[in-house]
Amino acid sequence: MRKVILSVLAIVLVIAAIYGARVIIDNKTAPKPKIKKDINIVTTDTVQNTTIPIIIPANGNLQAKKRVELFAEVTGVFKSTGKLFRTGQAYQAGETIIAIDNTEFYAQVKSARSNLNNQITAIMPDLRLDYPESYPQWQNYLADLNVDRNIPKLPVPKNDKEKYFITGRNIYTTYYSIKNLESRLGKFRITAPFSGVLTETMVSEGTLVRNGQQLGEFIQSGIYEIQVAVSAEFADLLQIGKRVEMRNISNTKSYQGKVTRLNAKVDQASQTIITVIEVEHPDLKEGMYLTANIQAQKIENAIEINRSLLQNGNQLFTVNKGKLVLTDVIPVHFSDTTAVLKGLENGTVIVAKSIPGAYEGMIVITEEQAQADKEEAAYSHPESK
């Protein structure tokens, strides 16, 4: 009897356990998963269409507008002029830069002048008898002839007979030989064609200078030119006289220049045009590296943004009702870092800073809204501070 009772209890307990387990399983409900909403804080800007100037960037090194390479055309010893012939030495216009000893050559010139004097003196009796009307002018010429000065121009013959007579006595031949010597005598002294400074010297005082030897380089300081290569697509926008803003390599100083020359030939390899810009400033030096910003044209009703914000080349993320929207735009001009766009209405909110993984429909909140919500929360729950 005891065994029967225990068996029945065991069966009842098993049935109760199974029933209880099934009730628990049937009544168990899985909790609904919580959907996490990621709200990105974005930097935005409001569109305000304005007139955008198209700036063409270019760069290059300054070169002196006026430059003279000094060469010797005669042979002799380099004499001192009172200033050391050294790099950086300044000279005023007309001041002697180089003087070469001309003692020997000057004696030859004086000898040739004296020879002309003797030739004219020898024909004076014949002129007095055969050409009395020309005698006074030749008499005055002979009186003015000085072997220490450049010879004056010969008198003009009164007629052809006198001209043939003078020619037969080799007067003209001697005269032009002397003028040639006098021209060569002037090459023993090199004067400054303009106010400037020596940038290179190859000789010093006391050096024997030879014909054809380069002596140095002389430039005009203060006025420089810079040659920049501009894309051929802007050829119709470049104009002579256009003002150009220029800045140094550290971007700390700016200078004003103007376009003075445009090459009529396009470089086939780079498809660029050499544009020459003139700039004048006492702080500038030859060889300085400058960047030039050439204003090509102005675009009406446009905005300028960072080039990285463009999507697919002609779309831009805008913010509408807390979501990102891809909006079509019209690109007008591209530079290295920026793009000029048209097609957006004033007041449109655009994304001003790239968002990693951005997609259309992404829920976002602007920085202004995030800051306002934070301040409101802090005001409502001051004890949470």
Side-chain angles (χ1 to χ4, degrees):
M1 192 63 181
R2 184 178 180 183
K3 291 181 179 180
V4 173
I5 295 173
L6 291 175
S7 298
V8 173
L9 289 175
I11 293 171
V12 172
L13 289 175
V14 171
I15 293 172
I18 294 172
Y19 177 77
R22 181 165 296 180
V23 171
I24 293 173
I25 292 173
D26 291 340
N27 292 333
K28 184 178 181 181
T29 56
K32 294 182 179 180
K34 294 183 179 180
I35 300 175
K36 184 179 180 181
K37 293 184 178 181
D38 292 329
I39 300 178
N40 293 275
I41 300 175
V42 295
T43 303
T44 59
D45 195 5
T46 303
V47 171
Q48 183 63 46
N49 288 297
T50 58
T51 300
I52 304 295
I54 300 300
I55 304 298
I56 305 173
N59 52 68
N61 296 94
L62 290 178
Q63 294 180 343
K65 182 179 180 180
K66 293 184 179 180
R67 173 193 310 274
V68 175
E69 291 186 348
L70 306 175
F71 283 87
E73 297 183 71
V74 293
T75 300
V77 177
F78 186 5
K79 299 193 305 181
S80 174
T81 61
K83 288 185 176 181
L84 290 177
F85 188 75
R86 299 291 187 272
T87 301
Q89 182 64 59
Y91 294 89
Q92 298 299 317
E95 189 176 0
T96 300
I97 301 177
I98 296 173
I100 301 174
D101 185 19
N102 63 353
T103 304
E104 182 179 353
F105 189 81
Y106 184 61
Q108 295 180 16
V109 175
K110 292 179 68 174
S111 176
R113 291 170 181 168
S114 178
N115 184 36
L116 178 63
N117 192 356
N118 295 336
Q119 287 180 311
I120 296 176
T121 302
I123 66 171
M124 290 302 292
D126 294 332
L127 284 172
R128 187 171 188 176
L129 293 175
D130 298 334
Y131 309 99
E133 68 279 4
S134 300
Y135 179 79
Q137 66 178 3
W138 283 97
Q139 181 72 27
N140 293 333
Y141 181 84
L142 193 61
D144 293 337
L145 192 61
N146 190 330
V147 296
D148 293 325
R149 299 196 304 267
N150 290 343
I151 58 173
K153 188 176 181 180
L154 290 175
V156 179
K158 299 291 186 180
N159 50 56
D160 291 341
K161 288 185 178 181
E162 180 186 351
K163 180 179 179 181
Y164 298 149
F165 174 76
I166 299 299
T167 302
R169 297 302 188 274
N170 290 327
I171 300 297
Y172 289 114
T173 301
T174 306
Y175 170 80
Y176 288 114
S177 296
I178 295 174
K179 297 304 289 183
N180 183 45
L181 292 175
E182 288 178 346
S183 176
R184 189 170 181 80
L185 181 64
K187 296 177 180 179
F188 282 84
R189 184 178 296 271
I190 300 176
T191 58
F194 44 78
S195 299
V197 63
L198 285 170
T199 58
E200 191 174 1
T201 59
M202 283 86 168
V203 294
S204 58
E205 293 79 357
T207 304
L208 176 62
V209 176
R210 292 178 172 81
N211 185 10
Q213 180 179 352
Q214 184 174 3
L215 307 178
E217 186 179 65
F218 184 72
I219 68 169
Q220 183 182 30
S221 56
I223 304 178
Y224 300 93
E225 290 183 338
I226 181 172
Q227 295 187 5
V228 296
V230 179
S231 177
E233 64 177 303
F234 300 112
D236 57 332
L237 305 176
L238 297 175
Q239 296 178 357
I240 294 178
K242 184 180 289 293
R243 306 301 299 182
V244 179
E245 181 186 5
M246 311 185 74
R247 304 190 72 85
N248 60 357
I249 191 172
S250 58
N251 203 30
T252 56
K253 293 184 178 180
S254 62
Y255 311 95
Q256 290 295 321
K258 64 178 179 179
V259 177
T260 55
R261 298 195 304 276
L262 295 173
N263 197 342
K265 182 180 180 181
V266 177
D267 185 89
Q268 295 183 359
S270 61
Q271 287 296 297
T272 57
I273 299 175
I274 296 299
T275 304
V276 180
I277 302 171
E278 181 180 317
V279 57
E280 181 177 354
H281 198 279
D283 293 343
L284 297 176
K285 304 293 181 184
E286 182 170 270
M288 285 181 62
Y289 183 87
L290 295 181
T291 58
N293 295 318
I294 305 173
Q295 182 173 317
Q297 66 177 133
K298 294 182 179 180
I299 305 297
E300 303 288 342
N301 296 321
I303 63 170
E304 187 174 19
I305 64 168
N306 193 299
R307 191 168 179 174
S308 62
L309 297 177
L310 271 182
Q311 307 293 323
N312 304 321
N314 63 345
Q315 290 183 317
L316 185 68
F317 276 122
T318 60
V319 179
N320 186 14
K321 297 180 179 179
K323 294 182 179 181
L324 292 184
V325 178
L326 274 176
T327 305
D328 293 335
V329 293
I330 304 173
V332 178
H333 173 73
F334 293 98
S335 68
D336 293 339
T337 58
T338 63
V340 178
L341 310 177
K342 300 186 70 174
L344 292 174
E345 296 182 358
N346 289 335
T348 303
V349 180
I350 63 173
V351 175
K353 189 175 181 181
S354 297
I355 307 172
Y359 56 89
E360 188 170 18
M362 175 185 283
I363 300 175
V364 295
I365 184 173
T366 64
E367 290 182 341
E368 292 78 4
Q369 291 176 339
Q371 182 64 28
D373 292 346
K374 184 178 179 180
E375 292 177 356
E376 183 180 356
Y379 179 78
S380 302
H381 305 283
E383 66 278 0
S384 63
K385 293 183 181 180

